[in-house]
Short mmCIF file of all heavy atoms in Angstrom, two decimals:
data_model
loop_
_atom_site.label_atom_id
_atom_site.label_comp_id
_atom_site.label_asym_id
_atom_site.label_seq_id
_atom_site.Cartn_x
_atom_site.Cartn_y
_atom_site.Cartn_z
N LEU W 164 102.63 55.01 116.63
CA LEU W 164 103.11 55.23 117.99
C LEU W 164 104.20 56.29 118.05
O LEU W 164 104.39 56.95 119.08
CB LEU W 164 103.64 53.92 118.58
CG LEU W 164 102.61 52.80 118.79
CD1 LEU W 164 103.30 51.56 119.33
CD2 LEU W 164 101.49 53.25 119.71
N GLN W 165 104.91 56.48 116.94
CA GLN W 165 106.02 57.43 116.90
C GLN W 165 105.65 58.77 116.26
O GLN W 165 106.43 59.72 116.32
CB GLN W 165 107.19 56.83 116.09
CG GLN W 165 107.73 55.52 116.64
CD GLN W 165 108.33 55.68 118.02
OE1 GLN W 165 109.00 56.67 118.30
NE2 GLN W 165 108.10 54.70 118.88
N LEU W 166 104.46 58.86 115.68
CA LEU W 166 104.10 60.03 114.91
C LEU W 166 103.65 61.17 115.81
O LEU W 166 102.73 61.01 116.61
CB LEU W 166 102.97 59.68 113.94
CG LEU W 166 102.61 60.71 112.86
CD1 LEU W 166 103.78 60.91 111.90
CD2 LEU W 166 101.39 60.23 112.09
N PRO W 167 104.27 62.36 115.71
CA PRO W 167 103.83 63.50 116.51
C PRO W 167 102.47 64.00 116.02
O PRO W 167 102.30 64.31 114.84
CB PRO W 167 104.92 64.55 116.28
CG PRO W 167 105.53 64.19 114.97
CD PRO W 167 105.43 62.69 114.87
N GLU W 168 101.51 64.11 116.91
CA GLU W 168 100.14 64.43 116.51
C GLU W 168 100.01 65.81 115.90
O GLU W 168 99.31 66.01 114.92
CB GLU W 168 99.21 64.32 117.72
CG GLU W 168 97.75 64.58 117.39
CD GLU W 168 96.85 64.28 118.57
OE1 GLU W 168 97.27 63.52 119.46
OE2 GLU W 168 95.73 64.81 118.59
N GLY W 169 100.71 66.80 116.45
CA GLY W 169 100.54 68.17 115.99
C GLY W 169 100.92 68.38 114.54
O GLY W 169 100.24 69.08 113.80
N ARG W 170 102.03 67.77 114.10
CA ARG W 170 102.51 68.00 112.74
C ARG W 170 102.30 66.77 111.86
O ARG W 170 102.43 66.85 110.65
CB ARG W 170 103.99 68.36 112.77
CG ARG W 170 104.26 69.71 113.38
CD ARG W 170 105.73 69.92 113.67
NE ARG W 170 106.54 69.98 112.47
CZ ARG W 170 107.85 70.17 112.48
NH1 ARG W 170 108.49 70.29 113.62
NH2 ARG W 170 108.53 70.22 111.35
N GLY W 171 102.02 65.66 112.47
CA GLY W 171 101.95 64.43 111.71
C GLY W 171 100.74 64.29 110.83
O GLY W 171 100.83 63.80 109.70
N PHE W 172 99.57 64.74 111.31
CA PHE W 172 98.35 64.52 110.56
C PHE W 172 98.32 65.28 109.23
O PHE W 172 98.03 64.69 108.19
CB PHE W 172 97.13 64.87 111.41
CG PHE W 172 96.92 63.92 112.57
CD1 PHE W 172 95.88 64.12 113.46
CD2 PHE W 172 97.75 62.83 112.76
CE1 PHE W 172 95.67 63.25 114.53
CE2 PHE W 172 97.55 61.95 113.82
CZ PHE W 172 96.51 62.18 114.71
N PRO W 173 98.60 66.59 109.21
CA PRO W 173 98.65 67.29 107.92
C PRO W 173 99.72 66.73 107.00
O PRO W 173 99.55 66.72 105.78
CB PRO W 173 98.95 68.73 108.32
CG PRO W 173 98.49 68.85 109.73
CD PRO W 173 98.78 67.52 110.34
N MET W 174 100.83 66.27 107.56
CA MET W 174 101.91 65.71 106.76
C MET W 174 101.45 64.48 105.99
O MET W 174 101.83 64.27 104.84
CB MET W 174 103.10 65.36 107.66
CG MET W 174 104.29 64.73 106.94
SD MET W 174 104.21 62.91 106.90
CE MET W 174 104.49 62.51 108.61
N ILE W 175 100.59 63.67 106.59
CA ILE W 175 100.10 62.47 105.92
C ILE W 175 99.29 62.86 104.68
O ILE W 175 99.48 62.30 103.59
CB ILE W 175 99.25 61.62 106.88
CG1 ILE W 175 100.13 61.04 107.98
CG2 ILE W 175 98.54 60.49 106.13
CD1 ILE W 175 99.37 60.30 109.05
N GLY W 176 98.37 63.80 104.83
CA GLY W 176 97.57 64.24 103.69
C GLY W 176 98.42 64.85 102.59
O GLY W 176 98.19 64.59 101.40
N LEU W 177 99.40 65.67 102.98
CA LEU W 177 100.29 66.28 101.99
C LEU W 177 101.06 65.22 101.23
O LEU W 177 101.23 65.31 100.01
CB LEU W 177 101.25 67.24 102.69
CG LEU W 177 102.28 67.94 101.80
CD1 LEU W 177 101.59 68.80 100.75
CD2 LEU W 177 103.24 68.77 102.64
N ALA W 178 101.53 64.19 101.93
CA ALA W 178 102.30 63.13 101.29
C ALA W 178 101.45 62.33 100.32
O ALA W 178 101.90 61.97 99.23
CB ALA W 178 102.91 62.21 102.35
N VAL W 179 100.19 62.07 100.68
CA VAL W 179 99.30 61.34 99.78
C VAL W 179 99.04 62.15 98.51
O VAL W 179 99.15 61.64 97.39
CB VAL W 179 97.96 61.02 100.49
CG1 VAL W 179 96.96 60.44 99.48
CG2 VAL W 179 98.18 60.02 101.62
N GLY W 180 98.68 63.43 98.67
CA GLY W 180 98.41 64.28 97.51
C GLY W 180 99.62 64.48 96.64
O GLY W 180 99.53 64.43 95.40
N ALA W 181 100.79 64.69 97.27
CA ALA W 181 102.03 64.87 96.50
C ALA W 181 102.35 63.62 95.71
O ALA W 181 102.80 63.70 94.56
CB ALA W 181 103.18 65.23 97.45
N GLY W 182 102.14 62.46 96.32
CA GLY W 182 102.39 61.21 95.60
C GLY W 182 101.53 61.07 94.36
O GLY W 182 102.01 60.65 93.30
N CYS W 183 100.25 61.45 94.47
CA CYS W 183 99.36 61.38 93.31
C CYS W 183 99.83 62.30 92.20
O CYS W 183 99.80 61.93 91.02
CB CYS W 183 97.93 61.76 93.73
SG CYS W 183 97.11 60.54 94.78
N ILE W 184 100.29 63.50 92.56
CA ILE W 184 100.77 64.45 91.55
C ILE W 184 102.03 63.93 90.88
O ILE W 184 102.21 64.05 89.65
CB ILE W 184 101.00 65.83 92.19
CG1 ILE W 184 99.66 66.44 92.60
CG2 ILE W 184 101.73 66.77 91.21
CD1 ILE W 184 99.79 67.74 93.36
N VAL W 185 102.93 63.35 91.66
CA VAL W 185 104.14 62.76 91.10
C VAL W 185 103.78 61.66 90.10
O VAL W 185 104.42 61.52 89.05
CB VAL W 185 105.05 62.20 92.21
CG1 VAL W 185 106.20 61.38 91.62
CG2 VAL W 185 105.61 63.35 93.05
N HIS W 186 102.75 60.90 90.40
CA HIS W 186 102.27 59.86 89.47
C HIS W 186 101.85 60.47 88.14
O HIS W 186 102.20 59.97 87.07
CB HIS W 186 101.11 59.10 90.09
CG HIS W 186 100.59 57.98 89.24
ND1 HIS W 186 100.80 56.66 89.54
CD2 HIS W 186 99.87 57.98 88.08
CE1 HIS W 186 100.25 55.89 88.61
NE2 HIS W 186 99.66 56.68 87.71
N LEU W 187 101.09 61.56 88.21
CA LEU W 187 100.63 62.21 86.98
C LEU W 187 101.81 62.70 86.15
O LEU W 187 101.83 62.53 84.92
CB LEU W 187 99.72 63.40 87.32
CG LEU W 187 98.43 63.10 88.10
CD1 LEU W 187 97.60 64.37 88.24
CD2 LEU W 187 97.62 62.01 87.45
N LEU W 188 102.79 63.28 86.81
CA LEU W 188 103.98 63.77 86.09
C LEU W 188 104.73 62.61 85.44
O LEU W 188 105.26 62.74 84.34
CB LEU W 188 104.89 64.53 87.05
CG LEU W 188 104.32 65.81 87.65
CD1 LEU W 188 105.28 66.41 88.67
CD2 LEU W 188 103.99 66.83 86.56
N GLY W 189 104.77 61.49 86.13
CA GLY W 189 105.43 60.32 85.55
C GLY W 189 104.71 59.80 84.32
O GLY W 189 105.35 59.41 83.33
N ASP W 190 103.39 59.80 84.34
CA ASP W 190 102.62 59.31 83.19
C ASP W 190 102.61 60.31 82.04
O ASP W 190 102.39 59.94 80.89
CB ASP W 190 101.19 58.97 83.60
CG ASP W 190 101.09 57.60 84.25
OD1 ASP W 190 102.09 56.85 84.22
OD2 ASP W 190 100.02 57.28 84.81
N ILE W 191 102.83 61.58 82.33
CA ILE W 191 102.86 62.59 81.27
C ILE W 191 104.03 62.36 80.32
O ILE W 191 103.95 62.67 79.13
CB ILE W 191 102.91 64.02 81.88
CG1 ILE W 191 101.51 64.45 82.30
CG2 ILE W 191 103.49 65.03 80.89
CD1 ILE W 191 101.46 65.82 82.93
N ILE W 192 105.13 61.80 80.82
CA ILE W 192 106.29 61.60 79.96
C ILE W 192 106.17 60.32 79.13
O ILE W 192 107.08 60.00 78.37
CB ILE W 192 107.60 61.58 80.77
CG1 ILE W 192 107.66 60.36 81.69
CG2 ILE W 192 107.76 62.85 81.56
CD1 ILE W 192 108.99 60.20 82.42
N THR W 193 105.06 59.60 79.26
CA THR W 193 104.81 58.43 78.41
C THR W 193 103.94 58.84 77.23
O THR W 193 103.37 59.93 77.20
CB THR W 193 104.12 57.31 79.20
OG1 THR W 193 102.81 57.75 79.62
CG2 THR W 193 104.93 56.94 80.44
N ARG W 194 103.82 57.95 76.27
CA ARG W 194 103.09 58.27 75.04
C ARG W 194 101.59 58.44 75.28
O ARG W 194 100.94 59.26 74.63
CB ARG W 194 103.33 57.17 74.00
CG ARG W 194 104.76 57.11 73.51
CD ARG W 194 104.97 56.00 72.51
NE ARG W 194 106.36 55.96 72.05
CZ ARG W 194 106.84 55.05 71.22
NH1 ARG W 194 106.05 54.08 70.76
NH2 ARG W 194 108.12 55.08 70.86
N ALA W 195 101.04 57.67 76.20
CA ALA W 195 99.58 57.72 76.42
C ALA W 195 99.15 59.03 77.06
O ALA W 195 98.08 59.56 76.76
CB ALA W 195 99.14 56.53 77.27
N GLY W 196 99.97 59.58 77.97
CA GLY W 196 99.62 60.83 78.62
C GLY W 196 98.52 60.68 79.65
O GLY W 196 98.04 59.58 79.93
#
């Protein structure tokens, strides 16, 4: 209800993709890789 339609939709996709990449970077610093 609060999300601005014009900028909100692309922002959601960017946030999802960025989160996945951050996950990969986090697992890279572990032994399993």
Side-chain angles (χ1 to χ4, degrees):
L164 295 178
Q165 301 296 321
L166 191 64
E168 183 173 338
R170 291 168 66 179
F172 292 178
M174 179 269 290
I175 292 174
L177 178 62
V179 172
C183 290
I184 292 175
V185 170
H186 182 107
L187 299 185
L188 296 175
D190 279 350
I191 279 179
I192 67 175
T193 65
R194 294 179 180 177

